[in-house]
Amino acid sequence: MSTTHCPACTKVNPSSNQRCDACFRHLKDPEWRCYDHNCFHWNDVTEKKCAKCGKSGTESVGKGKRPRSADRLPRDKGDKEPAKNNYLGVRPVDDKHRRPRSADNRLASRWKCCHCTFFNGVEEGNCEMCSHIKGQCCNDLKLWKCHLCDNFTSEKFNRCSYCSKKKKDPDSPRPRNDLDKVKARQDEKHSTDHDRKSPLPGGDKWTCERCSLNNSSSSRLCEACRFSKPRVTGINLNDRHKSKPLRGDLRESVRAKDLRTIKTKQVEAKWKLIVQKCQQEKKNFTDKEFPPNDFSLFKHPRPGGSNIQWLRLKDVKDNDGKVSKHLKVYDKPTANDIIQGAIGNCWFICALAVVAERKNLLERIVVTKDYCPEGAYVVRLCKDGIWKTVVLDDYFPVDQYNRLKYSKARRGQLWVPLIEKAAAKIHGCYQALGAGRTVESLSLLTGEPCEHLSLNEHKDFSKTIDNMLIWSKLTHARDCGYLMCTSCEAKDGFTPEHCKSLGLITSHAYSLLDVYDMDTGEKLLKIRNPWGTESWKGDWSDSSSKWQKVKPEVKKKLKPDGNKHGTFWMEFKEFRKYFGSVEICKTRDWHETRIKGSFPSTADGPWKFAKVYVQKKTDLCIGLHQKNKRGNHSNEDFVDMLIVVMEILDVRKMRTVGSSKRDIKSYVGCEIEHVQSGEYIIACLAFKHLDGGKHGVNLQRDFVLTIHSTQNIVVEENDSINAGYTHFLADTLIQLAVDKGDRKTLKGNTGTYTLSWDGLILIVENKDKRQYAAIQEDCSKSTNLMSTRGSMFTQDVIPPGHRQLIFLLTRINQRSGYCIQYASSYINSSSSMLDYYGHKTKSHLPEIPMELECLHIPRPIR
């Protein structure tokens, strides 16, 4: 039987086929046509260059007609326009006027990848050929051609996806004379300034991201694999105000499950190359980035070194002193398999034990599922909001009996030491894993949004309202299937010795497994010690007489017999006395978006923000990460981060729908439930670094914004300079204070809004239509606070119908408390100057410099 090779995907097809079985391209087209301006010559399909003009097939697409393609579906003239506010660009195909042919029927049940033009099944979330994620660019085959770069873009966008050139209106008049033509050329030349300021790496050539072939800069597609030319958008921020603003980066959120599938395939390919090289060289893999020596054990190794030995897994002995012959990565893992080692990392082991309760969560951490004789393993962890792929060898530190010195698992399993070593590698060494909070380890292991719930905000544990709020959060987390951890603390009146007599260990992390409402009114919590010993000895412990009054069916369900594994039940009132916090990891089938950015060194920006288009009602979990200090040798302190989420009501009006706490930590987050369809702004703010480095804070700090949603959303990445929003920072803080702050009326139409969030945000409002408001604020008696204006004493004049941000105070030392004391005096006058305070030529004291006008200048009331 004769066969034919497809020229597009190289699949072998029967010669009787008219189209390829894989990509549905025509097999019988013997020629291709050169579409250069004056050529239009037909060439044999085996020829890569035109026989007449010498141009290649990728370069021959000029200003003429689009190249003939047998894969283009006939367009239905009866198609309706897509519905408004359809941000995802998805619409059903109208087949009322025609019935597709047999080939078109097969194409209609598939979607075409915009990168490699391969047709995939509708159920596939990413392209089978190039792993491109299915997006709105792939959902619609209706395209328009850019008149500048000949790129084809979906009709849903009015700017070219390659050069950002605006779509040309076919009804626009053409230049009539030579002078108009010159002007048109100048405009077109100006529109390409972005391309000249962003040269492609490698000069006149560009490297294909798929096959690494160097292609000519004039080629839009790779000559070997037909992959698209990469889009470069690197512009120096210092020149941004002189050049054309960048187009907002519009992207769809990606289902986390689909993204993991793609990343896992890429990681497995990398691992196979390492194993193949080891097999060829006939030696085991050794990780040079994390070598088996003291630099991988300690932050500051001793000059003489230590006596700690490193052995490969095949030479390590078990607890019986024998070399294990049946090593496995996973063997029906459970939380009881974990044995903590010599490091005081119960915060990490506790979270790992909670994750081990969910097999699907645990097994996606270690990508290498089986024992590798070559000693190469791959682990995926999420550090500071970004997923990291960690490649490890099988060298591990051992004790004097050649047993694993640090954490291990029972029954010869390797997942515990592999995950712990991966965490040690990305943080610098094993010693860096000592002491921490479980909320950090939950985020590291899962990459899901997390929440810290403090139990110490109210010392009166009998308050009914407070207890109901905390209990409702715990039951909600249980019903949603979230992961929970808690920590035991020595509170007022309870010494560590007293806690130990009750079976509790202070400054120790525990797993919170379940919560239960008894018929008798008691509220019980199921807790586990990751050490597997030292269980609770008070009421509702295994030996407590309380269980004798419980119904047999309830007792069978709760199973109060877990002391041998460190598991016990405790009443909620007792829990609040001895435990200080609960960490909740919100594991769901999320759609996620991760955006990198930097807090600017000055208040005038650019301030990064994300514009979110919501089509269907969804839940949002938003997080803001900054670089963790664990394993970091620098003395950089955290900045105070704040998330503000606002709904756009119209062109001039917004309202705050959610915000995080303003906190000096590595992570802040907020959750907004039942978000309705519409447009929203997510602002990423920080202020401590705006003091110019006077308090030891660097001028610029990087961050990662994570957006998790239950429904698919569209996110547009932008900043205040690109959007032309000069007073973005002031308007955001004023709106936040108006919606969330405490209002106090001073006199008549003058009032203040205050927000005491890790400092102070003070807004003065003048609603009078004629009179100016002169106000004096004195915060000089406040302690451990600094002001963005550089002074704790201010005098300002607020015009009629305006609001002004007077004070933005930030805590200096996060380890110390702070005190806020301020005194106000005000007067209404007809003068726009500080005449009442003796300054007839000034309206602000201290004067507001140009870089702070976007923050402290009076803003009109909308």
Side-chain angles (χ1 to χ4, degrees), residues 1-4 13-17:
M1 178 179 172
S2 58
T3 58
T4 305
N13 299 270
S15 58
S16 58
N17 281 18

Side-chain angles (χ1 to χ4, degrees), residues 446-602:
T446 65
E448 309 279 4
C450 299
E451 179 184 0
H452 175 79
L453 180 61
S454 177
L455 304 179
N456 295 329
E457 295 180 356
H458 302 282
K459 294 184 179 181
D460 187 0
F461 305 131
S462 62
K463 278 193 175 182
T464 307
I465 298 178
D466 185 45
N467 285 337
M468 288 179 60
L469 177 62
I470 295 176
W471 185 254
S472 64
K473 287 189 175 183
L474 296 180
T475 54
H476 174 70
R478 176 205 60 191
D479 296 339
C480 294
Y482 295 160
L483 306 179
M484 292 184 287
C485 296
T486 184
S487 59
C488 180
E489 298 180 5
K491 298 184 180 181
D492 298 339
F494 305 112
T495 62
E497 291 75 16
H498 173 72
C499 294
K500 190 172 183 180
S501 65
L502 295 175
L504 300 177
I505 305 171
T506 57
S507 301
H508 184 58
Y510 289 78
S511 304
L512 181 53
L513 304 180
D514 195 6
V515 294
Y516 189 81
D517 278 298
M518 300 288 289
D519 296 336
T520 54
E522 288 94 343
K523 296 177 173 61
L524 302 184
L525 299 95
K526 187 177 182 180
I527 304 171
R528 181 179 57 222
N529 185 348
W531 290 355
T533 55
E534 298 290 338
S535 297
W536 168 248
K537 300 176 182 178
D539 289 343
W540 296 102
S541 63
D542 288 3
S543 57
S544 173
S545 59
K546 294 273 188 179
W547 291 106
Q548 298 177 3
K549 301 178 183 179
V550 178
K551 296 179 181 180
E553 58 270 17
V554 177
K555 187 174 181 180
K556 183 179 180 181
K557 180 180 179 180
L558 300 183
K559 298 178 181 179
D561 55 356
N563 268 350
K564 59 182 180 181
H565 298 304
T567 305
F568 55 89
W569 288 90
M570 176 183 274
E571 212 274 325
F572 180 59
K573 291 182 180 179
E574 299 290 331
F575 173 76
R576 287 218 58 192
K577 289 180 182 179
Y578 298 106
F579 288 81
S581 63
V582 175
E583 281 77 28
I584 302 174
C585 180
K586 302 170 183 178
T587 55
R588 294 177 70 174
D589 186 13
W590 294 107
H591 291 76
E592 67 176 39
T593 304
R594 299 179 186 268
I595 299 174
K596 295 182 180 180
S598 299
F599 296 117
S601 57
T602 57

Side-chain angles (χ1 to χ4, degrees), residues 607-609 646 681-685 720 725-733 854:
W607 291 92
K608 175 82 74 174
F609 68 88
M646 297 177 292
I681 292 290
I682 301 176
C684 309
L685 307 178
S720 57
Y725 199 167
T726 307
H727 299 94
F728 168 79
L729 186 57
D731 289 346
T732 301
L733 292 176
C854 59

Side-chain angles (χ1 to χ4, degrees), residues 72 108 120 136 171 252 284 296 466 480 577 592 624 736 805 836 842 848:
R72 294 174 58 192
N120 302 270
Q136 56 187 0
D171 299 329
E252 277 189 280
N284 287 359
S296 300
D466 185 45
C480 294
K577 289 180 182 179
E592 67 176 39
L624 198 57
L736 174 65
L805 174 60
Y836 180 78
K842 296 180 180 180
I848 300 175

Side-chain angles (χ1 to χ4, degrees), residues 270-286:
K270 182 179 179 180
W271 173 79
K272 288 180 181 178
L273 291 176
I274 295 175
V275 172
Q276 185 179 2
K277 184 178 179 181
C278 292
Q279 291 174 348
Q280 292 175 353
E281 298 178 357
K282 296 182 179 180
K283 63 179 183 180
N284 287 359
F285 172 68
T286 301

Side-chain angles (χ1 to χ4, degrees), residues 605-653:
W607 291 92
K608 175 82 74 174
F609 68 88
K611 190 174 183 180
V612 178
Y613 302 91
V614 178
Q615 187 184 30
K616 296 181 180 180
K617 185 170 68 174
T618 182
D619 296 341
L620 288 179
C621 273
I622 305 165
L624 198 57
H625 304 255
Q626 58 180 318
K627 190 175 182 181
N628 200 309
K629 294 189 292 184
R630 182 178 300 277
N632 190 3
H633 298 287
S634 65
N635 295 323
E636 294 181 355
D637 202 355
F638 291 138
V639 296
D640 56 322
M641 296 192 300
L642 172 65
I643 302 172
V644 182
V645 185
M646 297 177 292
E647 182 182 9
I648 303 175
L649 302 177
D650 54 43
V651 180
R652 297 177 55 84
K653 191 174 182 181

